[in-house]
Amino acid sequence: MAKVEIPRVGESRTMVLFDDLTRTQIVMYAGASGDYNPLHSDEVYTTKVAGYPSVFAHGMLSMGATGRLLTDWFGPTGLTRFGVRFVNQVWPGDTLSATATVEAVRQDGDVTLVDLVVSTTNQDGKPVVSGTATARINP
Amino acid sequence: MTIERFPVEATHTMMFARAIGDPNPAFADPESPEAAAVGGVVAPPTFAMAGFQFDPDNPLRPKPGQPWFGSGREPSGEQREGGGVLHAEQVFEYHQPLRVGMVLTTTERAGRTWDKQSRSGATLHFSETITEFRDAGSDELVVTATMVGVKTEPAAESKD
């Protein structure tokens, strides 16, 4: 991939992760991750037993999708840290957009580290995942 | 999760990348320039969680001959104990790239615990679980994953 430029503090990128998230996408995540909790794929159990309005996405699906914004920016091996809180549930039909903003650029020896604030929101502007990440430039 | 052998394979990283909606060939195609640029196919940043596939005791996978709490003929197949813990936070620290061809082992330890009051007066019990993923070949640390779970205890005592 192309050489990653050192970003400026305040620089920001946004990406639409899912437009109209499908139940099948959530099933794909269950299959790949090994988290087969029926809350994410079994509408009968989730509505009749667990009492939710429908199945909902794994938090880790939203976090994983958010990671795409970071690896597209800093490369597939660019991250040194990535942490989030799961602040709202993600439902089938949601549209998710992720934004990452540079908070600091610092040197650790001859390595340049970029600290970012990361937020993924739904179509109502409600955050679903919010957190921070650190990337290293051209390690 | 405690896993003795978590082989990182290209089919799995490809399926995982598709599942998170990420088309980057660096996660899927060993012939791609994107993979070549990073020395071969690597795993997406949250891939370590897919180690659940290699946890023989994964309680969130149906197993032959055992009751499953999801629906079949009935809306639920069994009463579930130990449920009700929600995933509140997740942190990954990356010590080196997670590459296809590595075989990982994990060790798990409990981290911090703390309580918070919710606005409705319920007590929220938070607890950290820290999992270290090591390269079985070199015994070097690859990823440290910290999961924070939260369990809610209602303010009022229940009638039963």
Side-chain angles (χ1 to χ4, degrees):
Chain A
M1 61 174 272
K3 190 172 173 347
V4 179
E5 299 293 329
I6 296 174
R8 290 184 306 277
V9 172
E11 197 172 328
S12 157
R13 287 196 189 182
T14 295
M15 175 184 269
V16 174
L17 306 175
F18 295 111
D19 178 5
D20 188 2
L21 178 69
T22 62
R23 286 170 177 79
T24 305
Q25 187 74 45
I26 300 171
V27 168
M28 285 169 75
Y29 188 79
S33 68
D35 180 348
Y36 302 98
N37 192 325
L39 291 173
H40 306 303
S41 60
D42 182 339
E43 196 85 16
V44 174
Y45 169 83
T46 305
T47 56
K48 293 193 175 167
V49 180
Y52 291 93
S54 85
V55 295
F56 52 92
H58 308 71
M60 288 308 301
L61 169 52
S62 305
M63 183 183 190
T66 301
R68 180 184 168 199
L69 172 67
L70 301 170
T71 50
D72 276 8
W73 191 350
F74 297 101
T77 59
L79 294 181
T80 65
R81 187 187 174 283
F82 181 24
V84 303
R85 285 187 302 128
F86 302 104
V87 287
N88 278 296
Q89 267 156 336
V90 172
W91 305 97
D94 278 0
T95 292
L96 301 185
S97 301
T99 300
T101 306
V102 176
E103 282 275 292
V105 178
R106 56 196 166 90
Q107 286 296 128
D108 180 13
D110 45 11
V111 176
T112 303
L113 295 171
V114 180
D115 295 319
L116 301 129
V117 169
V118 183
S119 176
T120 296
T121 55
N122 66 17
Q123 62 284 354
D124 301 320
K126 251 171 121 173
V128 295
V129 156
S130 61
T132 57
T134 300
R136 52 193 265 166
I137 302 286
N138 299 316
Chain B
M1 70 182 103
T2 301
I3 303 158
E4 287 184 17
R5 191 170 187 280
F6 172 10
V8 179
E9 293 165 347
T11 307
H12 196 189
T13 59
M14 177 191 76
M15 290 173 68
F16 190 89
R18 286 178 178 169
I20 59 172
D22 193 330
N24 192 333
F27 303 133
D29 180 5
E31 306 295 326
S32 65
E34 289 84 355
V38 290
V41 175
V42 292
T46 61
F47 179 77
M49 297 303 279
F52 278 126
Q53 296 284 15
F54 301 94
D55 178 355
D57 301 321
N58 177 3
L60 294 176
R61 180 178 67 238
K63 298 176 192 72
Q66 294 184 24
W68 175 243
F69 64 103
S71 69
R73 280 189 291 269
E74 301 296 331
S76 180
E78 70 158 352
Q79 288 290 326
R80 191 171 174 230
E81 288 176 21
V85 177
L86 294 176
H87 199 176
E89 295 177 35
Q90 181 69 39
V91 180
F92 296 98
E93 293 159 86
Y94 307 103
H95 309 286
Q96 58 176 298
L98 177 47
R99 298 187 177 281
V100 161
M102 281 180 169
V103 176
L104 302 175
T105 59
T106 72
T107 52
E108 183 181 294
R109 64 179 193 273
R112 299 175 302 148
T113 62
W114 65 98
D115 288 348
K116 255 190 203 171
Q117 296 297 125
S118 77
R119 272 171 290 180
S120 62
T123 305
L124 306 174
H125 299 292
F126 290 86
S127 59
E128 276 182 354
T129 305
I130 300 160
T131 306
E132 290 185 346
F133 295 79
R134 283 180 188 276
D135 178 354
S138 66
D139 202 38
E140 285 175 8
L141 198 51
V142 182
V143 177
T144 307
T146 303
M147 175 191 266
V148 180
V150 59
K151 192 160 184 160
T152 306
E153 192 177 288
E157 285 191 50
S158 67
K159 285 174 188 159
D160 50 36

